[in-house]
Amino acid sequence: MISVHEGCGATIESALAAAEQGISSPRLIIFLLNGHELAYVAEHLHCKYPDITTMGICSSIYANGHVDHASVLLLAFDDDTAACSGIIHGLSRCPVQSIQQFEQDVLQIDPGKENTLCLEFCTGAEETLVTTLNAVLEEYDIPLIGTTVYGDVYHSGYVVAWNGQLWKDSCIYAIIRNRRGRIKLFNENIYGPRPGAPMHIATQVKKKKKALVELDGQPAAEVYSKELGIPVEDTVANVMMHPLGRIVGNHVFTFSMRDQLPDGTLYNFKQINCNDAICLLELKDYKKIFRETIARIKAEVPQIAFVFSIDCVYRYMLYETLGCRKDYARLMNSLGGPHVGATGAGEQINNQHVNQNMVCAVFEDATPKG
């Protein structure tokens, strides 16, 4: 179905050589690189496998119970999965120009009920991207999972790798159909509203800049600092313990602050709309939530063949601070079947873009045994 190939070595060349061992006749290769040699890896894989799509990103890596054990990780898709991939350019300007090609790619793999997935890696413009892709995906009842790349490792903007080249302002995607069973998506949020916390209204925003200027007519950072009783200059430093939440009905969509201005404006990783209901969140009993997530996945997918997860980089950093990152990796690996996890600056699941969540796709193997 999907084979996992980890590469470790003193150099990226030796790590790649180790990762490539055992790969035979792949239909698609997705790679995660825990380093800064994305251009080299992208070009190398495209030259070695010119007849298939090779696509990847820079990311910290969870794999088979370990954290950042591998320098490079390759996911090789075989005949048990139908896959078609592509790239959308001009993501921040007009992604809808690629919608016809995207739909052709979807139809090419003959999507089925509950066995097809769209996996994407993007450089930003998440709300526009999610809306664009779902114009097609919802018609065919295909779920979406994805992440936003982070880290300006090339000092020229965020990039994704597709068929040997690096691209800015773009989204790379793969439409994947599991020929052995279902693909189910799961979402885990370890944050929730503080008991008795007041609800605030976003009264001034700058949508394109993902800026929250005012809450309840006051500077956003000042409202945050007063509620927590902390210095206003420490607002962003509290993001891993107390992010913000956009409230829609009974749903809480977590978003992260990334920077603030002296006037109290908060720049975020998620777009906020004027009149959105906003509350301050707190870290809940994350270990209990871990166990509940694992139990829910095992109950809904008893025969697990492969798990691909995406964690927010802030969760990755939080778990290091709390000393539980290795335990978390082992717990995800306990699901059965190989587990591979990437990290990003935002998570997309179906029609939502969120921060500081974990989203995962679980592949089932329902073929008769014996």
Side-chain angles (χ1 to χ4, degrees):
M1 181 182 290
I2 305 170
S3 55
V4 179
H5 305 266
E6 297 183 66
C8 308
T11 64
I12 189 59
E13 292 84 359
S14 60
L16 258 177
E20 289 167 343
Q21 293 181 14
I23 294 180
S24 176
S25 303
R27 293 293 188 93
L28 165 72
I29 291 179
I30 296 177
F31 62 91
L32 304 177
L33 176 66
N34 183 20
H36 303 297
E37 301 89 355
L38 191 63
Y40 172 82
V41 173
E43 182 179 7
H44 171 90
L45 291 174
H46 180 59
C47 290
K48 185 162 185 176
Y49 305 98
D51 298 326
I52 67 166
T53 295
T54 53
M55 52 186 283
I57 60 171
C58 288
S59 171
S60 296
I61 300 170
Y62 291 104
N64 297 323
H66 302 287
V67 185
D68 290 338
H69 175 70
S71 301
V72 61
L73 184 142
L74 308 181
L75 297 178
F77 293 72
D78 63 20
D79 289 341
D80 286 328
T81 53
C84 188
S85 58
I87 184 167
I88 297 174
H89 297 297
L91 195 57
S92 64
R93 300 188 302 275
C94 187
V96 73
Q97 66 187 338
S98 302
I99 199 69
Q100 185 175 2
Q101 181 60 55
F102 179 71
E103 184 166 19
Q104 290 175 4
D105 291 339
V106 168
L107 293 175
Q108 183 175 321
I109 67 162
D110 188 23
K113 185 176 177 58
E114 296 190 324
N115 66 0
T116 306
L117 167 74
C118 177
L119 171 65
E120 55 83 8
F121 304 119
C122 71
T123 58
E126 299 90 352
E127 285 82 7
T128 302
L129 173 66
V130 165
T131 300
T132 302
L133 296 184
N134 273 287
V136 173
L137 296 176
E138 289 180 355
E139 180 179 353
Y140 299 97
D141 199 22
I142 298 173
L144 168 73
I145 188 176
T147 192
T148 312
V149 297
Y150 66 90
D152 188 4
V153 297
Y154 295 95
H155 307 289
S156 59
Y158 305 138
V159 294
V160 292
W162 192 74
N163 284 349
Q165 294 184 288
L166 305 187
W167 301 93
K168 295 187 291 184
D169 195 23
S170 298
C171 166
I172 52 177
Y173 62 83
I175 312 297
I176 303 163
R177 178 166 61 87
N178 179 12
R179 290 191 169 109
R180 291 194 174 190
R182 300 171 298 162
I183 303 175
K184 287 188 68 68
L185 300 193
F186 296 87
N187 180 27
E188 178 183 85
N189 186 3
I190 57 175
Y191 299 94
R194 300 167 59 246
M199 194 74 67
H200 305 285
I201 300 298
T203 48
Q204 186 178 348
V205 302
K206 295 179 181 178
K207 288 182 63 174
K208 290 186 177 181
K209 294 184 177 182
K210 299 183 179 179
L212 176 58
V213 182
E214 290 184 353
L215 288 171
D216 306 330
Q218 304 175 58
E222 290 185 12
V223 173
Y224 183 102
S225 67
K226 288 177 183 177
E227 186 169 326
L228 287 184
I230 62 171
V232 67
E233 61 269 21
D234 291 343
T235 296
V236 175
N238 274 271
V239 65
M240 286 191 286
M241 297 300 292
H242 294 284
L244 290 165
R246 177 173 177 255
I247 310 300
V248 181
N250 294 323
H251 299 283
V252 179
F253 300 110
T254 308
F255 66 95
S256 309
M257 308 85 74
R258 65 186 302 174
D259 200 3
Q260 73 182 78
L261 296 182
D263 67 0
T265 295
L266 294 176
Y267 287 99
N268 308 294
F269 285 98
K270 176 176 170 61
Q271 190 177 91
I272 303 302
N273 304 307
C274 198
N275 295 320
D276 276 350
I278 306 295
C279 70
L280 273 67
L281 307 180
E282 66 179 6
L283 180 65
K284 297 299 184 180
D285 187 344
Y286 60 94
K287 292 184 178 180
K288 178 183 178 182
I289 295 172
F290 289 169
R291 294 192 297 270
E292 291 173 346
T293 300
I294 296 298
R296 185 170 74 253
I297 293 173
K298 287 183 175 179
E300 295 189 29
V301 191
Q303 297 170 291
I304 295 175
F306 175 70
V307 179
F308 185 80
S309 67
I310 297 169
D311 272 90
C312 179
V313 66
Y314 278 168
R315 280 175 50 120
Y316 178 89
M317 295 164 63
L318 174 67
Y319 297 162
E320 174 65 14
T321 301
L322 298 174
C324 69
R325 197 156 64 186
K326 292 181 179 179
D327 291 337
Y328 172 71
R330 287 191 289 266
L331 194 61
M332 289 297 292
N333 195 54
S334 72
L335 284 166
H339 164 248
V340 169
T343 58
E347 302 76 58
Q348 288 74 256
I349 181 165
N350 294 324
N351 60 358
Q352 290 293 331
H353 165 62
V354 293
N355 302 142
Q356 290 179 243
N357 277 217
M358 183 275 287
V359 296
C360 71
V362 180
F363 290 69
E364 179 185 51
D365 184 356
T367 56
K369 302 300 186 287

